[in-house]
Amino acid sequence: TVDSTTKTTEDSITQTDVNLNRDLVDTYSKIIKSDRVLKLVLEGLNLQDKYTEDNLRSMISVSTENTALAFTISVVNANAELARDIANKVGITFAEQNEEFFHINNVKILDEAKLETSPYNIHHLKDIAIFFALGVFVSLGIMLLVYMLDKTIKGLEDIEYLKMQVSGIIPMC
């Protein structure tokens, strides 16, 4: 076996490189969500009048892959085309700003964002469970309400409770 920390060739990736990149991804995530980058994205897409940096920040998430040598920028928005455009613009703007901040060109865009055709947050089983529980509570509430508002006399106890005279009783067969 080969120990990754003993490799000395320039083309190999060491554990130190992986750890450094993992730390850089955390830094990159903060830079991606910085007001400076988000303001440039809003200006580049002409969205200053619709969104603020805080709105945009809440739409964006950054996740790392297993090796931490790559990360994914995800954008959640009701408009799939706008989400795709924001994700692509964030990536391009971040790469430009990273070069300006660190004076190194070590960020490359592997894939552009694709247009999603299906919603990401549909959970039918959860919806069914919620509606079932809601149905049970509503039906129990209606039954309780009907019982509480029922003013009919059902037995001798109800007549005695009202302090009325009983004039006669018809026995059940």
Side-chain angles (χ1 to χ4, degrees), residues 64-105:
T64 60
E65 303 296 325
N66 293 337
T67 62
L69 296 175
F71 58 90
T72 303
I73 300 171
S74 302
V75 178
V76 176
N77 191 294
N79 183 341
E81 292 177 2
L82 180 61
R84 178 200 57 204
D85 294 344
I86 291 172
N88 287 328
K89 188 65 175 174
V90 166
I92 292 167
T93 305
F94 165 68
E96 293 168 353
Q97 292 301 305
N98 183 61
E99 187 173 348
E100 185 178 321
F101 287 146
F102 298 112
H103 303 291
I104 54 173
N105 189 9

Side-chain angles (χ1 to χ4, degrees), residues 125-139:
L125 189 58
K126 182 177 81 172
D127 294 341
I128 290 169
I130 289 171
F131 286 120
F132 177 77
L134 187 62
V136 167
F137 286 121
V138 168
S139 61

